Amino acid sequence: MKAVVTGSDRAIAPNMKMMCLDTQGIDPTVESVVEDPIRRSLYARCSAILLVTDMTESESLKRANSYWFQEFEHYNVDTSIPLFVIGNKSEMSQNVNRSVVESYVGKLIETMSTRFSNSFWCLTSSTRLEMVNGLMVRVQASVVYPASLILRNPGSMANHSQDAKPKKTKSKSPGKDAAQAIQSLKELGMKVVLFKALTCVFQRADKDGDGLLNESELHELQTRCFEEVRSLSEIRAQMQQTIGTNLIAANGMTFPAFLMMMMMGTTQGRSDLVWKLLFGYGYDYDTTCW
């Protein structure tokens, strides 16, 4: 067992102690699960699972599929808890047969998305410490701010975040573009209860009722809910590669753009951004009261 206190400025809960329960020690030649009371107790206590694979070893990727999901099933692991499957040694993956690795990774992502409703695929380099801190932030966010309460399948949304971007449109009809964007977000997995809550938040933040969040209204919303405050132009610059430009008006943020801003974080495993907004406007974990 290893205790890790996150000290990063980006930490979701800066003083949160993460207890890492190490389940290594399985002979790689073992193909079937052998009952172990200690391992069973460890799985019963966990809030998230990190399954680390070696991107330079095809057998490691293959075994993640053939053995570890068998073990999760044997020990009746709660498939609603976050599962992070990690491809480590990513800096060395160019030295192996990419077609073989991509084949195993594809099968692995398919398996994890099918077995766990809240699963994520991540690449890291432990020797270079690349994406390690970011991974810990995502793990924290997934536990403290559960995406499963607000998204139908948060894992698949994150694993296919490149496909999750609505296509830019040349349409000159903002209304049509807005409707398409909202429908796209619903198809990606936004639960109706979240859509209703965000609708209410937008209406409350829109003080003048013009259907746009102007610079002042956006500043007030961010000050109320987040540590960082960004200008409308900064947010527009970040979002223009993700959504159609018609969704962000010159003098303010439209409702579809507001929805997209909040959902962008969830495609990267940052459901905390949505929860912080909801908490700032009086919502809690009990979605039945929304």
Side-chain angles (χ1 to χ4, degrees), residues 127-255:
T127 56
R128 296 180 181 178
L129 295 180
E130 293 175 351
M131 295 304 294
V132 176
N133 286 340
L135 172 63
M136 291 299 102
V137 170
R138 293 178 66 181
V139 173
Q140 282 187 319
S142 68
V143 174
V144 180
Y145 303 101
S148 58
L149 292 179
I150 54 178
L151 301 175
R152 288 197 299 273
N153 193 346
S156 65
M157 189 173 184
N159 296 328
H160 304 288
S161 58
Q162 293 301 315
D163 299 329
K165 298 178 181 179
K167 295 180 180 179
K168 291 185 178 182
T169 175
K170 297 181 179 180
S171 170
K172 296 183 179 181
S173 170
K176 184 177 180 180
D177 292 343
Q180 291 176 342
I182 292 175
Q183 181 60 33
S184 176
L185 287 170
K186 288 182 177 180
E187 291 174 354
L188 285 172
M190 179 189 289
K191 287 187 176 180
V192 174
V193 67
L194 175 60
F195 180 80
K196 291 180 177 179
L198 293 180
T199 300
C200 183
V201 168
F202 183 87
Q203 292 172 344
R204 291 170 61 184
D206 182 17
K207 301 292 186 180
D208 56 15
D210 64 350
L212 297 170
L213 295 184
N214 58 40
E215 198 76 58
S216 175
E217 292 167 339
L218 190 60
H219 184 276
E220 182 178 339
L221 178 146
Q222 293 180 89
T223 302
R224 180 172 181 167
C225 304
F226 307 117
E227 296 82 7
E228 181 183 1
V229 176
R230 294 181 296 166
S231 67
L232 184 61
S233 60
E234 289 174 325
I235 296 175
R236 180 186 291 112
Q238 178 188 357
M239 297 179 64
Q240 277 183 329
Q241 295 185 4
T242 305
I243 64 175
T245 55
N246 280 341
L247 297 182
I248 302 181
N251 58 337
M253 178 174 289
T254 63
F255 176 57

Side-chain angles (χ1 to χ4, degrees), residues 149-150 192-198 274-275 278-279 282-290:
L149 292 179
I150 54 178
V192 174
V193 67
L194 175 60
F195 180 80
K196 291 180 177 179
L198 293 180
V274 177
W275 278 112
L278 296 174
F279 291 155
Y283 292 88
D284 59 23
Y285 290 120
D286 187 2
T287 60
T288 60
C289 297
W290 293 8

Side-chain angles (χ1 to χ4, degrees), residues 9-144:
D9 291 338
R10 296 179 56 219
I12 300 300
N15 297 316
M16 179 181 181
K17 180 179 289 186
M18 301 180 68
M19 305 300 294
C20 299
L21 309 176
D22 197 343
T23 58
Q24 68 175 346
I26 297 296
D27 187 330
T29 62
V30 174
E31 297 182 358
S32 58
V33 181
V34 178
E35 176 64 26
D36 182 344
I38 296 179
R39 296 175 80 83
R40 183 173 292 279
S41 67
L42 293 180
Y43 279 122
R45 297 166 55 190
C46 69
S47 301
I49 294 176
L50 282 70
L51 175 58
V52 184
T53 64
D54 185 340
M55 290 294 288
T56 67
E57 294 285 345
S58 59
E59 281 302 312
S60 174
L61 294 167
K62 180 180 179 181
R63 184 166 173 77
N65 230 342
S66 64
Y67 176 82
W68 284 101
F69 285 96
Q70 179 188 165
E71 174 161 314
F72 298 155
E73 184 175 356
H74 175 84
Y75 289 114
N76 299 314
V77 174
D78 182 359
T79 56
S80 68
I81 67 173
L83 167 69
F84 290 83
V85 181
I86 303 160
N88 194 32
K89 300 184 182 179
S90 59
E91 81 283 1
M92 300 171 60
S93 60
Q94 66 272 18
N95 300 328
V96 299
N97 189 319
R98 292 190 62 85
S99 61
V100 173
V101 170
E102 289 174 359
S103 174
Y104 281 123
V105 169
K107 293 176 182 178
L108 187 53
I109 291 177
E110 181 180 357
T111 300
M112 60 192 254
S113 298
T114 302
R115 303 286 186 87
F116 283 74
S117 60
N118 196 4
S119 59
F120 304 90
W121 166 254
C122 317
L123 290 175
T124 63
S125 171
S126 57
T127 56
R128 296 180 181 178
L129 295 180
E130 293 175 351
M131 295 304 294
V132 176
N133 286 340
L135 172 63
M136 291 299 102
V137 170
R138 293 178 66 181
V139 173
Q140 282 187 319
S142 68
V143 174
V144 180

